[in-house]
Amino acid sequence: MRNPLSRGSRKTRNRSRAQFAGQLPKKWHSSRPLRATVGALSLALPIVVVASSGASAQDNLVVNAGLQQSASGFPTCFTKSVTGTNTSSFSTTSKAYSGSTAVQLSVSKYTSGEALAMISENQACAPSVTAGNQYNLGVYYMASTPNAVLEVYQHNATGWHFWMDLKNLPATGTYQYASVRTPAIPAGTDQISFGVAMYGTGTVITDNYSMVNATVAASAVKCTAGIACTKGAWQVLPFPSPVRSIHTVLMYNGKVLFVAGSGNSTTDFAAGSFESAVYDPTTGKFQVIPTPDDFFCAGHIQLPDGNVLVLGGNKAYPNATDTVGYEGLQTSYIFDPITDKYVPENKLNEGHWYPSATELGNGAIISYGGLNQTSGPAYDIEYFKYDKSPTDATPDSGTDGEWLPASEINGDNPGNTNYHGFWGLYPAMILTKTGELFYTGSHVFGDNETPVGEGGTARGQGGAGFLNISKILDPGPGTDPTTPVKGLQDTPGGPAGTDMTDQSMSVLLPPAQAGQVFLAGGGNINNEVPGTRLTDLINLYSADPAYKAGPLLPRGTLSNGTEEPASEGKMYVSMVLLPNGNVFETGGGLVNREDPVYEASMINTSALEAGDSAAKVYTEMATDPEPRTYHSQSFLLPDGRIISIGNNPGDGSFNMSISVYSPPYLFDGSRPVIDSVAHETDWTYGKSYSIKTSTPIKSAELIRPAAVTHQSDPNQRFVALPISGSGDTVNLNLTSNDNIAPPGWYMLFVTNGNNVPSVAKWVHVG
């Protein structure tokens, strides 16, 4: 079944930027100037000289850039398009910046979708591009509304696809020049097209389109670090963690919260001994934190203000006679990174042990799954309505928001035959740019039995899918329909209904705007068969989203020093998004809580999305000398290094060592430095922000800090920031879509021409 909210080719797109406006608190409305239609500005004739043209002396790659040649009443090599529900018109006008003709686009009524004037998507008109290069796209424009966006499309072997919104165009009554640099062209892309789209009422006039090569040159660097130049290097710290880290949260002050609770120890549980610790990577010091409840296998996530929300946890371990199983807590707390204290929140509607936690574009948190307070399936959807006062600096009970009562959450979905209400344990729910949730198929423990993959589902016919939550808070019966997607290789062996995505890991690949999800590895603790090397890739915004098989994971080395058989892979895979746009993959085990697999690789995201071979996608990296299987976590630090921690094998022991990985980019010459960032504590959607760096930069990106447990961090995302300008002071363009970058603190990285990243600066979005 086709995803009804897919955003794929231009012809299938239908996006409303105000889709969830009814659910947002007042203060969130005020931060979205692009979503409200403003009074029309008069569009003057071009008699005023623009303040900054930015025009380049390089060859302009746009055909008919000045719009002077026409056919059938519209400029040659330009196309008009309308999707969704709106009333729009296209015409030529004499109000040109130069020459005699410009394009005018007007929208008089708007409900959804877009109206778009763009370069025609064909071989003769769309500019050819080279993979890895970057291009400055420019246009002169006048707009009566801030609902205009410069957006770009890409062509590869499968056709034309939406790439991303690059820059929001402020309203102006005189011609202004808008310019923005593309990210590096992905592998397999041979042409691009761009134009100006309208997402609301108003009028926009465009003229003098330009596209020139703007690739930042790499410098000659000779690495002298030996094998670390190509494989990176690990260091096991000389001190252990003071707690059994089951959960890891990177906080906006650069410190790390390690949460153990009882740490999977029945002895500590019986003694009421629950632990957390705050670790400062810059000093190597720990502070053990009094922990009020057993957060073992709770849910956890950063709120928009940077406080950490903890939900559920462990109420009971199984008893000796198995008459009592694991039971979920109904309690919830907020951890304050400033005071290092937990503060109680109101209770959940039922207990949750192993619940998911996903932040939505309005700052709310939604949670599914887990076991309840009687060890049964937790059917209740939990919704935390974030509503913190901007002047409230500390968390207190109820002041950051509250968990809504079940009566206000419409998730029962009666009459939907695909929905039985239980989403399993730690279901990986990723927020899409349309505001839907995408359940990737990654989960914990046993079979993948969910509303999109019940027992008995034919192989490749389910196990993942979309969940429309646009009416989750509307009065009346439940209206959160599910749409299964096909193709997931979730049953390579065993009876129908079983799967091998138990403790796999899935990530939203860089950049988040592209909507590509990658799932790797996994196993099944019920079957005790070796983990798999299978991987799967899906474009969430294609016309008919479906998983396709990715390249097999590389084979690893077992504890006895032998290479694992080609038919065997690993579960407990960790994947970390890096500031250069690649993904680091590490750790794992052959079967449930046993047999570590020593293997790590760098995943070339561009090659992966282009469908290249395993040899081009994976590059062998140095391996963590410590085993990392069950209850292990890996995450990115603001300085570009990666920490791996935890290992809890079947004998009940726990590896307390901390491993730190330095990727090859840290041995590849000097790093760019972010000297200053404008308004770093208050970035507003759809705006541009000035940044000064020590050297010209190739890219800028926001990476959300980790909140990871059990190979699950569905909020992990890399948001590209298209660049306007050149030199050491440029503007970064933040997306206008809060579903792409949900509100909160992010690490801002920049990279130079050698793809070497800076140390991150923290910025607050929303």
Side-chain angles (χ1 to χ4, degrees):
M1 183 184 298
R2 179 183 174 275
N3 168 19
L5 294 181
S6 65
R7 186 182 183 188
S9 67
R10 174 172 46 82
K11 297 178 182 178
T12 64
R13 290 180 55 191
N14 185 343
R15 177 181 68 176
S16 170
R17 293 188 169 226
Q19 183 175 2
F20 297 103
Q23 298 178 24
L24 273 58
K26 184 177 180 181
K27 64 180 179 180
W28 291 106
H29 284 297
S30 65
S31 69
R32 286 167 174 72
L34 295 180
R35 300 198 178 194
T37 302
V38 299
L41 298 173
S42 62
L43 299 185
L45 289 172
I47 59 176
V48 178
V49 177
V50 298
S52 173
S53 74
S56 171
Q58 297 186 51
D59 292 338
N60 187 353
L61 302 179
V62 177
V63 177
N64 193 25
L67 310 178
Q68 299 305 297
Q69 302 173 27
S70 63
S72 303
F74 206 69
T76 302
C77 278
F78 282 78
T79 298
K80 45 192 175 182
S81 173
V82 179
T83 63
T85 304
N86 58 78
T87 302
S88 54
S89 63
F90 299 80
S91 63
T92 58
T93 175
S94 61
K95 295 182 178 181
Y97 175 77
S98 64
S100 59
T101 303
V103 167
Q104 178 169 306
L105 164 59
S106 296
V107 178
S108 58
K109 294 182 180 180
Y110 181 85
T111 301
S112 66
E114 68 170 14
L116 169 66
M118 67 183 297
I119 296 171
S120 300
E121 295 173 327
N122 59 50
Q123 188 173 8
C125 296
S128 297
V129 293
T130 300
N133 283 1
Q134 295 175 276
Y135 298 85
N136 270 339
L137 311 182
V139 64
Y140 286 90
Y141 80 99
M142 295 191 290
S144 69
T145 169
N147 294 318
V149 179
L150 185 66
E151 59 186 35
V152 62
Y153 292 74
Q154 62 184 133
H155 180 267
N156 57 27
T158 60
W160 282 98
H161 308 278
F162 174 78
W163 190 7
M164 67 178 69
D165 291 339
L166 290 175
K167 184 179 178 65
N168 296 276
L169 306 182
T172 173
T174 59
Y175 267 104
Q176 297 293 322
Y177 180 72
S179 176
V180 63
R181 193 190 316 167
T182 68
I185 300 297
T189 296
D190 57 3
Q191 289 178 291
I192 64 172
S193 170
F194 68 97
V196 174
M198 292 277 288
Y199 290 100
T201 59
T203 296
V204 63
I205 297 174
T206 57
D207 195 8
N208 284 33
Y209 286 69
S210 61
M211 175 174 160
V212 297
N213 194 325
T215 305
V216 176
S219 59
V221 174
K222 183 177 181 180
C223 178
T224 59
I227 196 171
C229 296
T230 56
K231 294 190 175 183
W234 287 91
Q235 175 193 13
V236 179
L237 297 183
F239 47 83
S241 168
V243 302
R244 292 181 160 207
S245 178
I246 307 293
H247 312 264
T248 294
V249 182
L250 176 62
M251 300 180 290
Y252 68 91
N253 57 10
K255 296 180 181 180
V256 183
L257 177 64
F258 293 132
V259 180
S262 62
N264 203 16
S265 167
T266 55
T267 301
D268 286 351
F269 179 81
S273 177
F274 310 134
E275 292 183 313
S276 304
V278 171
Y279 171 57
D280 186 342
T282 61
T283 65
K285 294 182 178 179
F286 286 91
Q287 180 182 356
V288 177
I289 304 298
T291 304
D293 224 329
D294 189 6
F295 297 153
F296 171 57
C297 298
H300 57 318
I301 188 171
Q302 299 94 337
L303 292 172
D305 61 3
N307 292 332
V308 180
L309 180 66
V310 180
L311 56 142
N314 184 43
K315 180 185 174 186
Y317 282 85
N319 62 10
T321 60
D322 284 333
T323 56
V324 174
Y326 287 103
E327 297 176 353
L329 287 172
Q330 286 184 260
T331 53
S332 178
Y333 294 82
I334 286 177
F335 182 80
D336 181 359
I338 303 302
T339 63
D340 288 339
K341 292 181 179 179
Y342 288 100
V343 178
E345 266 292 345
N346 66 316
K347 287 189 175 182
L348 303 161
N349 290 295
E350 65 176 331
H352 292 270
W353 183 71
Y354 279 74
S356 72
T358 303
E359 187 189 3
L360 306 181
N362 61 3
I365 307 301
I366 196 165
S367 175
Y368 292 82
L371 298 183
N372 67 16
Q373 63 272 24
T374 61
S375 197
Y379 293 106
D380 281 351
I381 299 170
E382 306 284 359
Y383 190 100
F384 184 83
K385 186 177 181 181
Y386 179 77
D387 193 23
K388 185 177 177 66
S389 168
T391 61
D392 183 6
T394 60
D396 297 299
S397 182
T399 63
D400 278 45
E402 63 176 347
W403 292 102
L404 297 183
S407 59
E408 297 183 20
I409 305 169
N410 291 312
D412 55 342
N413 216 10
N416 187 336
T417 57
N418 292 325
Y419 190 93
H420 59 62
F422 181 53
W423 285 90
L425 307 185
Y426 284 141
M429 298 281 194
I430 292 176
L431 179 68
T432 74
K433 74 174 81 176
T434 61
E436 290 182 296
L437 296 177
F438 177 67
Y439 169 58
T440 68
S442 291
H443 64 102
V444 175
F445 294 159
D447 296 331
N448 187 8
E449 298 190 20
T450 69
V452 289
E454 299 179 10
T457 301
R459 294 174 182 169
Q461 300 301 305
F466 295 91
L467 181 60
N468 185 343
I469 59 171
S470 61
K471 298 181 179 180
I472 195 75
L473 300 184
D474 286 1
T479 52
D480 52 344
T482 56
T483 306
V485 300
K486 297 181 179 181
L488 179 63
Q489 302 173 96
D490 62 347
T491 54
T498 63
D499 75 279
M500 293 292 282
T501 56
D502 172 2
Q503 290 167 97
S504 61
M505 189 165 187
S506 48
V507 293
L508 180 63
L509 292 173
Q513 289 95 325
Q516 299 265 7
V517 171
F518 181 62
L519 183 150
N524 191 310
I525 66 168
N526 292 342
N527 294 340
E528 290 292 339
V529 297
T532 180
R533 296 172 61 199
L534 295 176
T535 70
D536 295 270
L537 182 68
I538 185 171
N539 184 341
L540 301 181
Y541 310 125
S542 64
D544 189 14
Y547 270 115
K548 62 180 180 181
L552 295 177
L553 285 172
R555 295 159 67 183
T557 301
L558 302 177
S559 296
N560 61 8
T562 63
E563 185 179 41
E564 64 178 334
S567 61
E568 298 178 357
K570 59 182 183 177
M571 54 199 303
Y572 312 121
V573 181
S574 288
M575 290 193 287
V576 180
L577 308 185
L578 300 183
N580 65 357
N582 289 334
V583 178
F584 179 63
E585 170 267 313
T586 183
L590 197 61
V591 293
N592 180 33
R593 302 183 69 177
E594 302 293 345
D595 299 331
V597 175
Y598 297 88
E599 184 273 330
S601 60
M602 195 65 69
I603 299 173
N604 184 316
T605 302
S606 181
L608 174 64
E609 293 178 349
D612 287 342
S613 65
K616 293 183 178 180
V617 171
Y618 303 113
T619 301
E620 180 184 352
M621 294 289 116
T623 57
D624 189 344
E626 298 291 329
R628 303 295 180 195
T629 63
Y630 185 55
H631 287 155
S632 63
Q633 307 109 63
S634 297
F635 60 97
L636 180 69
L637 290 173
D639 64 8
R641 296 179 300 162
I642 295 163
I643 284 183
S644 290
I645 189 170
N647 185 53
N648 189 193
D651 63 8
S653 63
F654 204 99
N655 187 330
M656 310 290 276
S657 67
I658 303 172
S659 301
V660 181
Y661 178 67
S662 297
Y665 56 54
L666 294 183
F667 304 94
D668 201 14
S670 61
R671 305 180 69 173
V673 176
I674 301 175
D675 294 322
S676 63
V677 180
H679 306 288
E680 67 268 23
T681 62
D682 188 24
W683 279 24
T684 301
Y685 294 106
K687 298 293 185 180
S688 298
Y689 294 95
S690 175
I691 180 175
K692 188 179 189 312
T693 57
S694 60
T695 186
I697 59 173
K698 179 178 180 179
S699 71
E701 42 278 330
L702 298 176
I703 297 183
R704 184 180 173 99
V708 59
T709 185
H710 292 78
Q711 283 61 57
S712 182
D713 186 3
N715 298 284
Q716 184 179 195
R717 59 183 55 215
F718 172 118
V719 179
L721 298 172
I723 298 168
S724 293
S726 59
D728 61 7
T729 301
V730 296
N731 288 326
L732 308 182
N733 296 282
L734 177 64
T735 178
S736 62
N737 188 340
D738 53 18
N739 295 319
I740 291 175
W745 288 94
Y746 287 80
M747 293 180 284
L748 168 64
F749 290 94
V750 300
T751 66
N752 62 18
N754 292 339
N755 292 319
V756 176
S758 65
V759 173
K761 294 279 191 181
W762 289 96
V763 298
H764 188 268
V765 171

